[in-house]
């Protein structure tokens, strides 16, 4: 007989998306904090000549990085949550990239020109935002590592082979057709007294 168990495929251990999301979140958090040490909190949405790693920053821009980093660290404790963080990063930096293109004049029409430039975006920042949006997309769609799990607590399902499923049945003599006065040969032998000839 062969035994069959239902196997389940589950994610195994720390996923690559979680590691990448955790590292990116930590980098965003550190970048935002360092930005605050350079700009302070004055002139929150104004233009600033301060740069961090070549990127122009202002307090609102720093706050965005701190919030994204903190949210990312909270979401790295699960594979699915890390992918949500990746999508959130993709949307946030993708929007900044498109907005930066409109502000820099790369895109001829700017439908949000009345909003100004609260993040103090410029041309070189756009390519950084494009790279960070691509990183978010990688985190969101990075393949997970899976492991086949065999449940030990479930009962084994027994599968019988065809050869094992056949049963041999011995025929039983039919005594119902004999007349009542006639006895079966086995009963007649038992009733004969010992010593008589057969």
């Amino acid at each position: 007989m062969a035994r069959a168990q239902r196997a389940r495929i589950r994610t195994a251990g720390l996923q690559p998306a979680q590691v990448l999301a955790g590292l990116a979140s930590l980098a965003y958090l550190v970048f935002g904090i360092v930005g605050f040490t350079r700009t302070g909190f004055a002139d929150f949405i104004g233009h600033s000549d301060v740069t961090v790693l070549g990127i122009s920053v202002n307090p609102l821009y720093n706050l965005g990085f701190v919030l994204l980093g903190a949210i990312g660290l909270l979401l790295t404790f699960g594979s699915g949550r890390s992918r949500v963080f990746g999508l959130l990063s993709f949307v946030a930096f993708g929007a900044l990239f498109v907005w930066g293109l409109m502000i820099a004049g790369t895109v001829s029409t700017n439908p949000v020109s009345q909003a100004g430039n609260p993040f103090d975006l410029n041309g070189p920042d756009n390519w950084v935002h494009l790279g960070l949006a691509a990183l978010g997309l990688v985190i969101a769609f990075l393949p997970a590592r899976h492991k086949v799990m065999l449940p030990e607590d479930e009962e084994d399902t027994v599968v019988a082979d065809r050869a094992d499923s056949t049963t041999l049945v011995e025929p039983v003599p039919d005594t119902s057709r004999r007349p009542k006065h006639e006895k079966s040969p086995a009963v007649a032998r038992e009733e004969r007294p010992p010593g008589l000839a057969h």
Side-chain angles (χ1 to χ4, degrees), residues 96-169:
L96 282 176
F97 171 69
V98 172
W99 197 358
L101 289 178
M102 291 187 292
I103 287 173
T106 308
V107 178
S108 58
T109 59
N110 185 356
V112 290
S113 58
Q114 68 275 8
N117 189 5
F119 289 103
D120 196 23
L121 303 175
N122 59 27
D125 294 348
N126 294 337
W127 307 113
V128 173
H129 297 149
L130 179 62
L132 294 177
L135 176 63
L137 207 58
V138 168
I139 293 170
F141 293 103
L142 199 62
R145 290 180 301 137
H146 292 93
K147 183 177 181 182
V148 177
M149 306 288 286
L150 295 175
E152 297 176 1
D153 53 341
E154 293 183 7
E155 293 182 6
D156 293 342
T157 305
V158 178
V159 180
D161 295 333
R162 286 187 177 179
D164 294 339
S165 63
T166 58
T167 309
L168 182 61
V169 178

Side-chain angles (χ1 to χ4, degrees), residues 8 20 32 47 50 60 74 92 95 100 104 107 146 153 160 165 172 198:
R8 293 182 181 175
L20 197 54
H47 174 71
V50 177
L60 180 61
L74 292 175
V107 178
H146 292 93
D153 53 341
S165 63
V172 178
H198 293 83

Side-chain angles (χ1 to χ4, degrees), residues 5-198:
Q5 287 183 329
R6 285 180 289 177
R8 293 182 181 175
I9 299 175
R10 297 178 182 167
T11 54
L14 193 64
Q15 297 297 314
Q18 289 177 266
V19 174
L20 197 54
L23 292 173
S25 301
L26 194 59
Y28 297 159
L29 191 61
V30 169
F31 181 86
I33 291 171
V34 169
F36 272 126
T37 62
R38 302 287 308 276
T39 63
F41 293 93
D43 199 12
F44 205 74
I45 59 172
H47 174 71
S48 174
D49 293 329
V50 177
T51 60
V52 176
L53 299 175
I55 301 170
S56 63
V57 294
N58 68 0
L60 180 61
Y61 193 76
N62 297 333
L63 180 64
F65 268 92
V66 168
L67 287 176
L68 190 63
I71 291 169
L73 286 177
L74 292 175
L75 292 178
T76 55
F77 292 105
S79 178
R81 294 185 198 117
S82 298
R83 296 173 195 288
V84 169
F85 168 71
L87 287 174
L88 179 67
S89 300
F90 171 71
V91 169
F93 289 115
L96 282 176
F97 171 69
V98 172
W99 197 358
L101 289 178
M102 291 187 292
I103 287 173
T106 308
V107 178
S108 58
T109 59
N110 185 356
V112 290
S113 58
Q114 68 275 8
N117 189 5
F119 289 103
D120 196 23
L121 303 175
N122 59 27
D125 294 348
N126 294 337
W127 307 113
V128 173
H129 297 149
L130 179 62
L132 294 177
L135 176 63
L137 207 58
V138 168
I139 293 170
F141 293 103
L142 199 62
R145 290 180 301 137
H146 292 93
K147 183 177 181 182
V148 177
M149 306 288 286
L150 295 175
E152 297 176 1
D153 53 341
E154 293 183 7
E155 293 182 6
D156 293 342
T157 305
V158 178
V159 180
D161 295 333
R162 286 187 177 179
D164 294 339
S165 63
T166 58
T167 309
L168 182 61
V169 178
E170 293 184 12
V172 178
D174 186 16
T175 57
S176 62
R177 294 184 186 170
R178 292 196 171 142
K180 292 184 179 179
H181 66 281
E182 188 180 324
K183 296 180 181 176
S184 68
V187 174
R189 265 187 244 123
E190 288 175 5
E191 289 180 352
R192 285 185 190 153
L196 292 177
H198 293 83

